[in-house]
């Protein structure tokens, strides 16, 4: 069963950038894509984007186009989510998630079976 | 982008009762790639159901999913105290993946 360990909380000023990491252990890192999902305080879940570590292919929600970059480093089994031009509305918990195991085809390889504990990013001046 | 609408927003039931949660999509969900998640306060979401009706490992069989096309349902046959939480549906059949706004299941 893969475990996803995320980096610690961040406090950022408006206009700056944040980079959150997600380290995978207990499973082949490049076997399944990694998703990033965020949740503002008291709000619902929002899919931000994902990366296939094997191919490097990324898919992003249009809502974050131009501000979001998701990368993966196979040498350290770590995925990263970088969000630029931060504003107060970006204050949220940021989660990474990926499929735990089994077979897949098409986009069901993106099933969010295992989640990190979340990283709180606070944007405040 | 596929918009998912969950109903009701809040469901008030008692332990032992049956819960039926709905998720409607603005267009057909490709390959019925629809999942359900449970989230409790201060915790990450937990996958309950994937591919419309397959239970994730370790999920009790009182949880079941059904549906096709643009209409999906999560059923909890007999509510246990630990089932009171917020539930989200998600489609992952086409990019961008999207979540419903959630249904809060509360104790009556």
């Amino acid at each position: 069963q893969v475990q996803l360990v995320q980096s610690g909380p961040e406090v950022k000023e408006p206009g700056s950038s944040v980079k959150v990491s997600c380290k995978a252990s207990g499973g082949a890192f490049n076997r399944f894509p990694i998703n990033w999902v965020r949740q503002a305080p008291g709000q619902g879940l929002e899919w931000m984007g994902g990366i296939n570590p094997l191919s490097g292919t990324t898919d992003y929600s249009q809502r974050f186009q131009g501000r979001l970059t998701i990368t993966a480093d196979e040498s350290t089994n770590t995925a990263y989510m970088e969000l630029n031009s931060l504003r107060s509305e970006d204050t949220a918990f940021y989660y990474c998630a990926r499929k735990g195991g089994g077979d897949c085809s098409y986009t069901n390889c993106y099933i969010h079976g295992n989640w990190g504990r979340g990283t709180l990013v606070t944007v405040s001046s | 982008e596929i918009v998912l609408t969950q109903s009701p927003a809040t469901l008030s039931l008692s332990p032992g009762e049956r819960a039926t949660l709905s998720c409607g999509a603005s267009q057909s969900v490709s390959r019925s790639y629809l999942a359900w998640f449970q989230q409790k306060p201060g915790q990450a979401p937990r996958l309950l159901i994937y591919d419309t009706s397959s239970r994730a490992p370790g999920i009790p069989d009182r949880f079941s999913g059904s549906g096709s096309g643009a209409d999906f349902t999560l059923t909890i046959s007999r509510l246990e105290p630990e089932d009171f939480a917020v539930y989200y549906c998600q489609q992952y059949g086409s990019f961008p993946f999207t979540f419903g706004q959630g249904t809060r299941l509360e104790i009556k």
Side-chain angles (χ1 to χ4, degrees):
Chain A
Q1 185 81 321
V2 68
Q3 287 193 322
L4 302 174
V5 179
Q6 297 186 222
S7 49
E10 303 265 11
V11 179
K12 295 291 183 178
E13 292 195 346
S16 66
S17 300
V18 68
K19 192 169 186 177
V20 179
S21 67
C22 171
K23 184 174 177 63
S25 62
F29 177 70
N30 61 5
R31 188 171 175 201
F32 300 114
I34 292 179
N35 303 274
W36 286 91
V37 175
R38 79 174 185 180
Q39 185 172 39
Q43 302 301 309
L45 302 171
E46 182 174 26
W47 186 80
M48 301 177 69
I51 185 167
N52 184 329
L54 193 61
S55 64
T57 303
T58 52
D59 290 277
Y60 298 122
S61 168
Q62 192 71 24
R63 179 176 155 85
F64 301 98
Q65 210 65 265
R67 287 207 299 145
L68 175 64
T69 304
I70 296 173
T71 56
D73 183 345
E74 285 190 76
S75 69
T76 59
N77 290 353
T78 304
Y80 298 91
M81 183 285 300
E82 184 171 23
L83 190 61
N84 302 320
S85 303
L86 290 170
R87 32 207 190 232
S88 58
E89 311 88 89
D90 294 319
T91 294
F93 279 94
Y94 290 77
Y95 296 97
C96 59
R98 58 158 269 183
K99 196 176 191 296
D103 297 325
C104 69
S105 57
Y106 307 108
T107 53
N108 71 353
C109 296
Y110 287 79
I111 287 173
H112 300 29
N114 292 91
W115 293 66
R117 291 195 171 188
T119 297
L120 177 61
V121 175
T122 302
V123 182
S124 174
S125 55
Chain B
E1 171 173 319
I2 296 177
V3 176
L4 298 181
T5 303
Q6 292 187 238
S7 62
T10 303
L11 185 58
S12 300
L13 294 170
S14 300
E17 289 193 293
R18 181 185 186 91
T20 302
L21 288 66
S22 297
C23 177
S26 59
Q27 57 189 277
S28 183
V29 175
S30 179
R31 298 182 176 88
S32 293
Y33 282 170
L34 192 287
W36 290 93
F37 297 87
Q38 177 193 70
Q39 189 178 32
K40 296 181 180 179
Q43 297 183 16
R46 177 173 73 145
L47 177 67
L48 300 174
I49 301 288
Y50 64 95
D51 294 355
T52 295
S53 59
S54 297
R55 268 187 302 276
I59 301 303
D61 60 8
R62 64 179 181 273
F63 291 91
S64 63
S66 62
S68 64
D71 291 297
F72 300 89
T73 301
L74 173 69
T75 302
I76 310 171
S77 58
R78 285 179 56 86
L79 285 165
E80 297 287 343
E82 62 267 27
D83 297 336
F84 292 91
V86 179
Y87 291 83
Y88 295 94
C89 58
Q90 183 207 30
Q91 70 80 22
Y92 50 97
S94 56
F95 291 106
F97 303 153
T98 48
F99 288 92
Q101 82 281 15
T103 289
R104 180 177 303 277
L105 178 57
E106 63 177 28
I107 299 177
K108 188 173 183 181

